[in-house]
Amino acid sequence: MTEPARILVVGGGYVGMYTALRLQRQLRAELRARAAEIVVVTPEPYMTYQPFLPEAAAGSISPRHVVVPLRRVLDHCRIVIGEVRSVDHAKRTATLSTLATEEEGTGATELTYDELVIAPGSVSRTLSVPGLADHGIGFKTVEEAIGLRNHVIEQMDIASSTRDPAIRDAALTFVFVGGGYAGVEALAELEDMARYTARYYHNIKPEDLRWVLVEASDRILPEVGAEMGRYAVRELRGRNIDVRLGTRLDSCEDRVAVLSDGTRLPTRTVVWTAGVRPAPVLAATDLPLNERGRLRCTARLTVDGVENAWAAGDAAAVPDVTSPEPGRECAPNAQHAVRQAKVLAENIAASLRGRPLKEYAHAYVGSVASLGLHKGVAHVYGRKLKGYPAWFMHRVYHLSRVPTYNRKARVLAEWTLSGLFKREIVSLGSLEHPRAEFELAAAPPPDPGDKPSS
Protein backbone atom coordinates (compact mmCIF):
# COMPACT_ATOMS: atom_id res chain seq x y z
CA MET A 1 0.00 0.00 0.00
CA THR A 2 1.22 3.52 -0.81
CA GLU A 3 1.45 6.07 1.97
CA PRO A 4 -1.31 8.70 1.99
CA ALA A 5 -0.42 12.19 0.82
CA ARG A 6 0.08 14.14 4.05
CA ILE A 7 -0.98 17.77 4.05
CA LEU A 8 0.59 19.62 6.98
CA VAL A 9 -1.23 22.77 8.07
CA VAL A 10 0.86 24.96 10.36
CA GLY A 11 -1.46 27.12 12.46
CA GLY A 12 -5.10 26.89 13.56
CA GLY A 13 -6.17 30.50 13.04
CA TYR A 14 -8.31 31.92 10.25
CA VAL A 15 -6.31 30.46 7.37
CA GLY A 16 -5.38 27.21 9.07
CA MET A 17 -8.88 26.34 10.23
CA TYR A 18 -10.74 27.46 7.10
CA THR A 19 -8.23 25.75 4.80
CA ALA A 20 -8.45 22.45 6.69
CA LEU A 21 -12.24 22.75 6.87
CA ARG A 22 -12.58 23.18 3.12
CA LEU A 23 -9.98 20.50 2.41
CA GLN A 24 -12.13 18.06 4.39
CA ARG A 25 -14.92 18.70 1.92
CA GLN A 26 -12.77 18.89 -1.21
CA LEU A 27 -10.89 15.68 -0.42
CA ARG A 28 -13.75 13.70 1.07
CA ALA A 29 -13.19 10.72 -1.24
CA GLU A 30 -9.41 10.74 -0.75
CA LEU A 31 -9.74 10.91 3.03
CA ARG A 32 -12.25 8.07 3.05
CA ALA A 33 -9.94 5.95 0.88
CA ARG A 34 -6.93 6.90 3.08
CA ALA A 35 -5.20 8.35 0.07
CA ALA A 36 -4.78 11.69 1.87
CA GLU A 37 -4.25 12.84 5.44
CA ILE A 38 -4.64 16.34 6.89
CA VAL A 39 -2.55 17.21 9.96
CA VAL A 40 -3.10 20.53 11.74
CA VAL A 41 -0.40 21.65 14.18
CA THR A 42 -1.54 24.51 16.40
CA PRO A 43 -0.57 25.84 19.86
CA GLU A 44 -4.21 26.06 20.94
CA PRO A 45 -7.09 23.61 20.37
CA TYR A 46 -9.32 26.39 19.12
CA MET A 47 -9.55 29.23 16.62
CA THR A 48 -10.13 32.68 18.09
CA TYR A 49 -12.55 34.98 16.26
CA GLN A 50 -10.60 38.13 17.06
CA PRO A 51 -13.20 40.75 16.03
CA PHE A 52 -15.22 39.63 19.06
CA LEU A 53 -12.37 40.12 21.56
CA PRO A 54 -13.43 43.70 22.47
CA GLU A 55 -16.98 42.54 23.24
CA ALA A 56 -15.63 39.61 25.24
CA ALA A 57 -13.51 42.06 27.22
CA ALA A 58 -16.58 44.22 27.84
CA GLY A 59 -18.67 41.23 28.95
CA SER A 60 -21.13 41.32 26.04
CA ILE A 61 -20.04 37.85 24.88
CA SER A 62 -18.84 34.88 26.91
CA PRO A 63 -15.17 34.05 26.25
CA ARG A 64 -15.96 30.46 25.30
CA HIS A 65 -18.18 31.70 22.46
CA VAL A 66 -15.35 33.74 20.93
CA VAL A 67 -13.43 30.55 20.17
CA VAL A 68 -14.21 27.64 17.85
CA PRO A 69 -13.07 24.14 19.01
CA LEU A 70 -10.94 22.66 16.24
CA ARG A 71 -11.52 19.02 17.12
CA ARG A 72 -15.26 19.45 16.70
CA VAL A 73 -15.06 21.38 13.44
CA LEU A 74 -12.16 19.48 11.87
CA ASP A 75 -13.41 16.00 12.68
CA HIS A 76 -11.66 14.42 9.67
CA CYS A 77 -8.29 15.99 10.44
CA ARG A 78 -5.57 14.98 12.86
CA ILE A 79 -5.11 17.79 15.38
CA VAL A 80 -1.71 18.09 17.07
CA ILE A 81 -1.47 20.60 19.91
CA GLY A 82 2.05 21.93 19.68
CA GLU A 83 4.32 24.39 17.93
CA VAL A 84 6.32 24.03 14.77
CA ARG A 85 9.84 25.20 15.59
CA SER A 86 11.40 24.95 12.13
CA VAL A 87 10.70 23.70 8.63
CA ASP A 88 13.16 22.07 6.23
CA HIS A 89 11.08 22.10 3.09
CA ALA A 90 13.88 20.67 0.96
CA LYS A 91 13.57 17.47 3.04
CA ARG A 92 9.79 17.90 3.55
CA THR A 93 10.14 17.78 7.34
CA ALA A 94 8.90 20.00 10.15
CA THR A 95 10.36 20.03 13.65
CA LEU A 96 7.73 20.46 16.34
CA SER A 97 7.30 20.29 20.09
CA THR A 98 4.12 19.16 21.82
CA LEU A 99 2.86 18.90 25.38
CA ALA A 100 3.89 15.24 25.33
CA THR A 101 7.46 15.94 24.21
CA GLU A 102 7.82 18.44 27.05
CA GLU A 103 6.55 15.87 29.57
CA GLU A 104 8.76 13.13 28.16
CA GLY A 105 11.80 15.38 27.96
CA THR A 106 12.69 13.87 24.60
CA GLY A 107 12.98 17.18 22.77
CA ALA A 108 11.36 18.15 19.52
CA THR A 109 10.14 15.55 17.01
CA GLU A 110 10.13 15.54 13.24
CA LEU A 111 7.04 15.21 11.08
CA THR A 112 7.26 14.49 7.36
CA TYR A 113 4.77 15.84 4.86
CA ASP A 114 3.99 16.05 1.16
CA GLU A 115 2.17 19.39 1.01
CA LEU A 116 2.83 22.29 3.38
CA VAL A 117 0.33 25.00 4.28
CA ILE A 118 2.12 27.53 6.44
CA ALA A 119 -0.29 29.87 8.19
CA PRO A 120 1.03 30.63 11.69
CA GLY A 121 -0.48 34.13 11.66
CA SER A 122 1.18 37.02 13.42
CA VAL A 123 2.33 38.17 16.84
CA SER A 124 2.31 41.59 18.46
CA ARG A 125 4.93 43.94 17.08
CA THR A 126 6.67 45.42 20.07
CA LEU A 127 9.23 48.19 19.93
CA SER A 128 12.18 48.81 22.24
CA VAL A 129 10.13 50.99 24.59
CA PRO A 130 11.63 51.00 28.10
CA GLY A 131 9.30 49.27 30.55
CA LEU A 132 6.96 47.88 27.90
CA ALA A 133 7.95 44.25 28.43
CA ASP A 134 7.40 44.62 32.19
CA HIS A 135 4.14 46.58 32.26
CA GLY A 136 2.51 46.33 28.81
CA ILE A 137 -0.67 44.33 28.14
CA GLY A 138 -1.39 42.80 24.73
CA PHE A 139 -4.75 42.32 23.04
CA LYS A 140 -4.49 39.45 20.55
CA THR A 141 -5.82 36.46 22.48
CA VAL A 142 -8.99 35.69 24.42
CA GLU A 143 -6.86 35.23 27.55
CA GLU A 144 -5.49 38.76 27.16
CA ALA A 145 -8.99 40.17 26.57
CA ILE A 146 -10.44 38.60 29.71
CA GLY A 147 -7.31 39.44 31.69
CA LEU A 148 -7.67 43.08 30.64
CA ARG A 149 -11.32 43.16 31.71
CA ASN A 150 -10.40 41.76 35.13
CA HIS A 151 -7.52 44.21 35.37
CA VAL A 152 -9.70 47.26 34.64
CA ILE A 153 -12.26 46.30 37.28
CA GLU A 154 -9.50 45.53 39.79
CA GLN A 155 -8.02 49.00 39.20
CA MET A 156 -11.40 50.47 40.03
CA ASP A 157 -11.45 48.40 43.22
CA ILE A 158 -8.00 49.74 44.12
CA ALA A 159 -9.06 53.32 43.43
CA SER A 160 -12.19 52.90 45.50
CA SER A 161 -10.36 51.61 48.57
CA THR A 162 -7.09 53.57 48.60
CA ARG A 163 -6.53 56.76 50.57
CA ASP A 164 -3.55 57.78 48.44
CA PRO A 165 -4.60 60.23 45.68
CA ALA A 166 -1.58 59.32 43.56
CA ILE A 167 -2.44 55.62 43.60
CA ARG A 168 -6.07 56.42 42.84
CA ASP A 169 -5.19 58.60 39.84
CA ALA A 170 -2.80 56.01 38.45
CA ALA A 171 -5.33 53.22 38.89
CA LEU A 172 -8.00 55.21 37.02
CA THR A 173 -5.74 56.14 34.08
CA PHE A 174 -5.85 53.75 31.13
CA VAL A 175 -3.46 54.22 28.20
CA PHE A 176 -4.00 52.42 24.87
CA VAL A 177 -1.25 52.57 22.26
CA GLY A 178 -2.34 52.03 18.65
CA GLY A 179 -5.24 53.52 16.71
CA GLY A 180 -6.14 50.52 14.56
CA TYR A 181 -9.10 48.19 14.99
CA ALA A 182 -7.78 46.42 18.08
CA GLY A 183 -6.84 49.56 20.01
CA VAL A 184 -9.89 51.67 19.19
CA GLU A 185 -12.48 48.92 19.64
CA ALA A 186 -10.90 47.61 22.85
CA LEU A 187 -10.71 51.09 24.37
CA ALA A 188 -14.25 52.01 23.30
CA GLU A 189 -15.85 48.82 24.63
CA LEU A 190 -13.94 48.87 27.92
CA GLU A 191 -14.66 52.58 28.45
CA ASP A 192 -18.34 51.78 27.96
CA MET A 193 -18.11 48.93 30.45
CA ALA A 194 -16.14 50.92 33.05
CA ARG A 195 -18.46 53.92 32.81
CA TYR A 196 -21.40 51.61 33.50
CA THR A 197 -19.53 49.86 36.32
CA ALA A 198 -18.75 53.17 38.05
CA ARG A 199 -22.39 53.57 39.11
CA TYR A 200 -21.87 50.71 41.57
CA TYR A 201 -18.97 52.45 43.34
CA HIS A 202 -19.87 55.00 45.99
CA ASN A 203 -16.75 57.11 45.41
CA ILE A 204 -15.99 56.74 41.68
CA LYS A 205 -17.69 58.77 38.99
CA PRO A 206 -17.36 58.15 35.23
CA GLU A 207 -15.52 61.45 34.84
CA ASP A 208 -12.89 60.24 37.35
CA LEU A 209 -11.65 57.69 34.81
CA ARG A 210 -9.07 58.90 32.33
CA TRP A 211 -8.77 57.14 28.98
CA VAL A 212 -5.91 57.99 26.60
CA LEU A 213 -5.47 56.74 23.03
CA VAL A 214 -1.95 57.22 21.62
CA GLU A 215 -1.47 56.97 17.84
CA ALA A 216 1.77 57.72 16.01
CA SER A 217 0.08 58.72 12.72
CA ASP A 218 -2.32 61.60 12.10
CA ARG A 219 -5.47 59.43 11.97
CA ILE A 220 -7.15 56.41 13.51
CA LEU A 221 -8.97 53.53 11.81
CA PRO A 222 -7.41 54.18 8.39
CA GLU A 223 -9.40 51.25 6.94
CA VAL A 224 -12.72 53.14 7.19
CA GLY A 225 -11.41 56.21 5.36
CA ALA A 226 -10.35 59.69 6.40
CA GLU A 227 -13.86 61.10 6.90
CA MET A 228 -15.05 58.24 9.13
CA GLY A 229 -11.71 58.32 10.95
CA ARG A 230 -12.24 61.98 11.82
CA TYR A 231 -15.78 61.18 12.98
CA ALA A 232 -14.40 58.42 15.22
CA VAL A 233 -11.98 60.90 16.81
CA ARG A 234 -14.82 63.36 17.46
CA GLU A 235 -16.98 60.59 18.91
CA LEU A 236 -14.25 59.42 21.28
CA ARG A 237 -13.30 62.92 22.38
CA GLY A 238 -16.99 63.64 22.97
CA ARG A 239 -16.88 60.84 25.56
CA ASN A 240 -13.96 62.59 27.31
CA ILE A 241 -11.41 60.18 25.81
CA ASP A 242 -8.04 61.85 25.25
CA VAL A 243 -7.00 61.02 21.66
CA ARG A 244 -3.34 61.91 20.98
CA LEU A 245 -2.53 61.82 17.25
CA GLY A 246 1.02 62.11 15.96
CA THR A 247 2.25 60.90 19.35
CA ARG A 248 4.34 57.93 20.45
CA LEU A 249 4.92 56.10 23.70
CA ASP A 250 8.55 56.75 24.65
CA SER A 251 8.64 54.91 27.97
CA CYS A 252 6.47 53.26 30.59
CA GLU A 253 9.04 52.53 33.26
CA ASP A 254 8.07 52.76 36.93
CA ARG A 255 4.39 52.77 35.90
CA VAL A 256 4.67 56.18 34.25
CA ALA A 257 3.74 56.47 30.56
CA VAL A 258 5.95 59.09 28.95
CA LEU A 259 4.67 60.33 25.58
CA SER A 260 6.66 61.95 22.78
CA ASP A 261 4.89 65.26 23.38
CA GLY A 262 6.35 65.38 26.89
CA THR A 263 3.23 64.26 28.74
CA ARG A 264 3.82 62.04 31.78
CA LEU A 265 0.92 59.82 32.80
CA PRO A 266 1.20 57.80 36.03
CA THR A 267 -0.77 54.68 35.14
CA ARG A 268 -1.09 51.02 36.01
CA THR A 269 -2.53 50.13 32.60
CA VAL A 270 -0.69 50.33 29.26
CA VAL A 271 -2.38 48.33 26.49
CA TRP A 272 -0.19 47.78 23.43
CA THR A 273 -1.98 47.27 20.10
CA ALA A 274 0.49 49.06 17.81
CA GLY A 275 0.64 46.58 14.95
CA VAL A 276 1.67 43.00 14.32
CA ARG A 277 4.56 41.16 12.71
CA PRO A 278 4.82 37.69 11.11
CA ALA A 279 5.19 34.73 13.43
CA PRO A 280 8.84 33.97 14.32
CA VAL A 281 8.66 30.44 12.84
CA LEU A 282 8.87 31.91 9.33
CA ALA A 283 12.49 32.87 9.98
CA ALA A 284 13.21 29.23 10.88
CA THR A 285 12.27 27.90 7.44
CA ASP A 286 14.10 27.61 4.14
CA LEU A 287 11.27 29.40 2.35
CA PRO A 288 11.75 32.81 0.66
CA LEU A 289 10.77 35.88 2.71
CA ASN A 290 10.31 39.50 1.69
CA GLU A 291 11.80 42.52 3.44
CA ARG A 292 8.99 42.50 6.03
CA GLY A 293 9.55 38.89 6.97
CA ARG A 294 6.47 37.55 5.16
CA LEU A 295 6.51 34.63 2.72
CA ARG A 296 6.85 35.57 -0.93
CA CYS A 297 3.78 34.13 -2.62
CA THR A 298 2.13 34.02 -6.01
CA ALA A 299 -1.46 34.96 -6.75
CA ARG A 300 -2.21 31.22 -6.72
CA LEU A 301 -1.16 31.17 -3.05
CA THR A 302 1.90 29.02 -3.69
CA VAL A 303 5.19 30.04 -2.10
CA ASP A 304 7.09 31.72 -4.90
CA GLY A 305 9.57 29.42 -6.63
CA VAL A 306 8.86 26.48 -4.31
CA GLU A 307 6.84 23.35 -5.05
CA ASN A 308 4.31 21.83 -2.63
CA ALA A 309 4.34 24.87 -0.31
CA TRP A 310 1.34 27.16 0.19
CA ALA A 311 0.60 30.20 2.34
CA ALA A 312 -2.04 32.85 3.00
CA GLY A 313 -3.10 35.36 5.63
CA ASP A 314 -0.82 37.46 7.82
CA ALA A 315 2.23 35.31 7.06
CA ALA A 316 1.94 35.65 3.28
CA ALA A 317 2.76 38.48 0.89
CA VAL A 318 0.10 37.78 -1.76
CA PRO A 319 -0.06 39.97 -4.89
CA ASP A 320 -3.29 41.94 -5.18
CA VAL A 321 -4.34 41.27 -8.77
CA THR A 322 -7.36 43.58 -8.41
CA SER A 323 -5.21 46.64 -7.70
CA PRO A 324 -4.28 49.00 -10.55
CA GLU A 325 -0.97 49.64 -8.78
CA PRO A 326 1.70 47.12 -9.84
CA GLY A 327 3.40 45.28 -6.99
CA ARG A 328 0.65 45.96 -4.47
CA GLU A 329 -0.02 43.20 -1.92
CA CYS A 330 -3.21 42.08 -0.20
CA ALA A 331 -3.63 43.64 3.24
CA PRO A 332 -2.99 41.21 6.12
CA ASN A 333 -6.53 41.25 7.51
CA ALA A 334 -9.30 38.77 8.29
CA GLN A 335 -11.34 39.67 5.21
CA HIS A 336 -8.56 38.51 2.87
CA ALA A 337 -7.49 35.59 5.10
CA VAL A 338 -10.90 33.89 5.06
CA ARG A 339 -11.31 34.28 1.31
CA GLN A 340 -7.73 33.22 0.60
CA ALA A 341 -8.26 30.04 2.63
CA LYS A 342 -11.09 29.00 0.30
CA VAL A 343 -8.97 29.41 -2.83
CA LEU A 344 -5.98 27.83 -1.11
CA ALA A 345 -7.89 24.65 -0.24
CA GLU A 346 -9.34 24.40 -3.75
CA ASN A 347 -5.89 24.83 -5.30
CA ILE A 348 -4.35 22.12 -3.11
CA ALA A 349 -7.12 19.72 -4.12
CA ALA A 350 -6.65 20.68 -7.77
CA SER A 351 -2.89 20.18 -7.49
CA LEU A 352 -3.30 16.68 -6.03
CA ARG A 353 -5.66 15.80 -8.87
CA GLY A 354 -3.49 17.31 -11.58
CA ARG A 355 -5.87 20.14 -12.39
CA PRO A 356 -5.02 23.79 -13.12
CA LEU A 357 -4.84 26.30 -10.26
CA LYS A 358 -6.72 29.59 -10.05
CA GLU A 359 -5.61 32.99 -8.82
CA TYR A 360 -6.90 34.71 -5.72
CA ALA A 361 -8.72 37.90 -6.65
CA HIS A 362 -10.86 39.85 -4.22
CA ALA A 363 -11.47 43.58 -4.20
CA TYR A 364 -11.57 45.04 -0.70
CA VAL A 365 -15.22 45.88 0.01
CA GLY A 366 -14.73 48.07 3.08
CA SER A 367 -14.58 47.96 6.86
CA VAL A 368 -16.76 48.25 9.94
CA ALA A 369 -15.68 49.19 13.47
CA SER A 370 -17.48 49.38 16.80
CA LEU A 371 -17.03 52.39 19.09
CA GLY A 372 -18.91 50.86 21.98
CA LEU A 373 -22.55 49.98 22.54
CA HIS A 374 -24.79 51.43 19.77
CA LYS A 375 -21.89 53.41 18.30
CA GLY A 376 -19.71 52.66 15.29
CA VAL A 377 -18.30 53.68 11.90
CA ALA A 378 -18.43 51.85 8.58
CA HIS A 379 -17.29 52.34 5.00
CA VAL A 380 -18.71 49.49 2.92
CA TYR A 381 -19.19 49.35 -0.86
CA GLY A 382 -18.57 53.09 -1.01
CA ARG A 383 -21.27 53.92 1.55
CA LYS A 384 -20.37 55.67 4.79
CA LEU A 385 -22.31 54.96 7.96
CA LYS A 386 -21.89 56.15 11.52
CA GLY A 387 -23.59 55.81 14.88
CA TYR A 388 -26.23 53.14 15.40
CA PRO A 389 -26.52 51.97 11.74
CA ALA A 390 -22.75 51.35 11.59
CA TRP A 391 -22.80 49.54 14.93
CA PHE A 392 -25.71 47.36 13.76
CA MET A 393 -23.89 46.57 10.51
CA HIS A 394 -20.77 45.68 12.52
CA ARG A 395 -22.73 43.11 14.52
CA VAL A 396 -24.60 41.68 11.52
CA TYR A 397 -21.41 41.35 9.47
CA HIS A 398 -19.39 39.60 12.16
CA LEU A 399 -22.29 37.37 13.18
CA SER A 400 -22.45 36.19 9.57
CA ARG A 401 -18.68 35.54 9.54
CA VAL A 402 -18.15 33.76 12.84
CA PRO A 403 -17.71 30.03 12.06
CA THR A 404 -20.39 27.38 12.74
CA TYR A 405 -24.10 27.77 13.36
CA ASN A 406 -23.48 26.73 16.95
CA ARG A 407 -21.39 29.84 17.62
CA LYS A 408 -23.74 32.10 15.66
CA ALA A 409 -26.70 30.98 17.77
CA ARG A 410 -24.82 31.34 21.06
CA VAL A 411 -23.51 34.81 20.23
CA LEU A 412 -26.96 35.99 19.10
CA ALA A 413 -28.52 34.61 22.29
CA GLU A 414 -25.97 36.43 24.45
CA TRP A 415 -26.51 39.70 22.61
CA THR A 416 -30.24 39.32 23.17
CA LEU A 417 -29.82 38.60 26.87
CA SER A 418 -27.35 41.45 27.35
CA GLY A 419 -29.92 43.79 25.83
CA LEU A 420 -32.59 42.61 28.27
CA PHE A 421 -30.53 42.50 31.45
CA LYS A 422 -27.78 44.55 33.10
CA ARG A 423 -24.09 44.18 32.40
CA GLU A 424 -21.94 41.80 34.43
CA ILE A 425 -19.40 43.79 36.45
CA VAL A 426 -17.55 40.97 38.21
CA SER A 427 -13.79 40.58 38.03
CA LEU A 428 -12.61 36.97 37.96
CA GLY A 429 -8.92 37.72 38.23
CA SER A 430 -8.42 34.69 40.48
CA LEU A 431 -8.95 32.50 37.39
CA GLU A 432 -5.42 33.44 36.34
CA HIS A 433 -4.07 31.78 39.52
CA PRO A 434 -6.52 28.90 40.19
CA ARG A 435 -4.27 27.06 42.68
CA ALA A 436 -3.53 30.07 44.88
CA GLU A 437 -6.36 29.37 47.35
CA PHE A 438 -5.48 25.68 47.64
CA GLU A 439 -1.77 26.40 48.08
CA LEU A 440 -2.62 28.78 50.89
CA ALA A 441 -4.82 26.15 52.55
CA ALA A 442 -2.17 23.44 52.10
CA ALA A 443 0.64 25.53 53.59
CA PRO A 444 1.81 24.33 57.02
CA PRO A 445 0.22 26.30 59.86
CA PRO A 446 2.49 28.71 61.76
CA ASP A 447 4.19 27.40 64.89
CA PRO A 448 2.32 28.78 67.93
CA GLY A 449 5.68 29.16 69.67
CA ASP A 450 6.92 31.60 67.06
CA LYS A 451 6.53 35.16 68.25
CA PRO A 452 6.96 38.22 66.08
CA SER A 453 10.18 40.06 66.82
CA SER A 454 9.76 43.41 68.50
Side-chain angles (χ1 to χ4, degrees):
M1 295 179 61
T2 60
E3 290 292 325
R6 177 176 290 165
I7 304 169
L8 173 61
V9 180
V10 179
Y14 285 112
V15 174
M17 191 203 76
Y18 279 108
T19 299
L21 182 62
R22 195 160 188 85
L23 279 171
Q24 284 186 160
R25 300 167 184 168
Q26 294 283 321
L27 302 177
R28 188 178 292 110
E30 287 85 348
L31 291 171
R32 190 182 300 117
R34 299 185 183 278
E37 178 188 21
I38 305 170
V39 180
V40 180
V41 180
T42 173
E44 306 292 346
Y46 53 79
M47 187 276 275
T48 303
Y49 191 71
Q50 291 186 340
F52 280 159
L53 288 183
E55 293 202 51
S60 300
I61 301 177
S62 172
R64 66 183 184 279
H65 299 156
V66 177
V67 299
V68 180
L70 295 179
R71 296 189 189 279
R72 177 185 294 176
V73 175
L74 305 178
D75 53 341
H76 296 295
C77 299
R78 175 184 163 198
I79 308 297
V80 178
I81 305 304
E83 292 189 57
V84 172
R85 301 296 184 183
S86 63
V87 173
D88 187 342
H89 189 66
K91 296 180 179 179
R92 302 296 193 271
T93 60
T95 303
L96 59 106
S97 60
T98 67
L99 296 177
T101 58
E102 293 178 5
E103 288 288 331
E104 296 165 354
T106 55
T109 61
E110 284 192 351
L111 181 68
T112 60
Y113 60 84
D114 298 286
E115 302 283 342
L116 173 67
V117 178
I118 187 157
S122 58
V123 297
S124 295
R125 183 190 63 187
T126 57
L127 304 178
S128 55
V129 177
L132 182 61
D134 297 322
H135 305 297
I137 302 172
F139 198 79
K140 272 189 65 65
T141 68
V142 66
E143 293 86 357
E144 287 175 329
I146 304 311
L148 181 56
R149 169 188 169 81
N150 293 333
H151 174 82
V152 169
I153 297 177
E154 286 172 0
Q155 297 311 302
M156 297 178 71
D157 290 336
I158 291 172
S160 175
S161 56
T162 185
R163 296 181 180 180
D164 188 329
I167 293 178
R168 175 187 168 91
D169 291 344
L172 296 182
T173 299
F174 306 95
V175 179
F176 285 68
V177 183
Y181 280 125
V184 172
E185 292 191 336
L187 183 150
E189 292 284 354
L190 284 165
E191 189 273 341
D192 245 359
M193 182 271 294
R195 182 160 26 88
Y196 175 87
T197 304
R199 69 178 66 181
Y200 295 100
Y201 289 83
H202 70 283
N203 58 351
I204 296 180
K205 299 177 182 178
E207 52 269 27
D208 294 337
L209 283 75
R210 184 177 185 184
W211 300 83
V212 183
L213 177 63
V214 179
E215 168 55 39
S217 69
D218 60 353
R219 57 193 289 194
I220 65 172
L221 298 175
E223 298 87 353
V224 299
E227 181 182 343
M228 291 296 96
R230 288 192 293 270
Y231 167 81
V233 171
R234 292 196 302 271
E235 167 66 26
L236 295 176
R237 286 175 173 166
R239 289 157 57 179
N240 203 31
I241 296 173
D242 186 359
V243 180
R244 303 287 184 99
L245 301 178
T247 308
R248 300 180 309 277
L249 176 69
D250 285 346
S251 169
C252 57
E253 290 182 305
D254 301 322
R255 294 193 178 276
V256 177
V258 180
L259 307 184
S260 59
D261 61 5
T263 304
R264 297 175 62 85
L265 300 169
T267 178
R268 301 169 63 90
T269 309
V270 175
V271 183
W272 182 267
T273 64
V276 296
R277 61 183 176 88
V281 68
L282 298 186
T285 71
D286 54 352
L287 302 173
L289 306 179
N290 68 2
E291 63 281 359
R292 295 185 179 181
R294 300 167 70 194
L295 290 166
R296 295 183 184 275
C297 294
T298 69
R300 295 175 180 177
L301 303 177
T302 61
V303 177
D304 194 17
V306 181
E307 295 182 352
N308 309 113
W310 314 77
D314 290 355
V318 179
D320 186 354
V321 299
T322 66
S323 174
E325 302 177 27
R328 191 175 181 87
E329 299 172 352
C330 295
N333 57 38
Q335 186 177 139
H336 280 301
V338 173
R339 289 170 170 82
Q340 286 173 357
K342 176 182 177 181
V343 176
L344 176 54
E346 292 174 353
N347 279 352
I348 293 175
S351 175
L352 292 175
R353 294 166 180 166
R355 298 175 182 173
L357 310 183
K358 63 180 181 180
E359 292 187 340
Y360 171 74
H362 170 68
Y364 193 61
V365 298
S367 301
V368 292
S370 170
L371 298 178
L373 190 62
H374 300 160
K375 298 174 283 290
V377 290
H379 189 181
V380 182
Y381 292 112
R383 300 193 62 181
K384 301 171 183 177
L385 299 174
K386 56 188 178 182
Y388 185 88
W391 171 84
F392 184 76
M393 177 174 283
H394 173 271
R395 283 203 160 182
V396 170
Y397 174 79
H398 286 300
L399 184 65
S400 71
R401 297 301 175 185
V402 68
T404 78
Y405 290 109
N406 179 302
R407 285 297 177 269
K408 294 180 196 294
R410 291 177 183 273
V411 169
L412 183 59
E414 289 199 312
W415 279 343
T416 302
L417 291 173
S418 65
L420 296 175
F421 300 101
K422 296 179 179 180
R423 284 180 183 261
E424 294 291 344
I425 61 168
V426 177
S427 166
L428 297 177
S430 58
L431 289 176
E432 299 165 27
H433 307 284
R435 295 192 68 251
E437 184 69 22
F438 183 79
E439 289 174 352
L440 181 63
D447 188 339
D450 292 342
K451 296 182 179 181
S453 57
S454 56

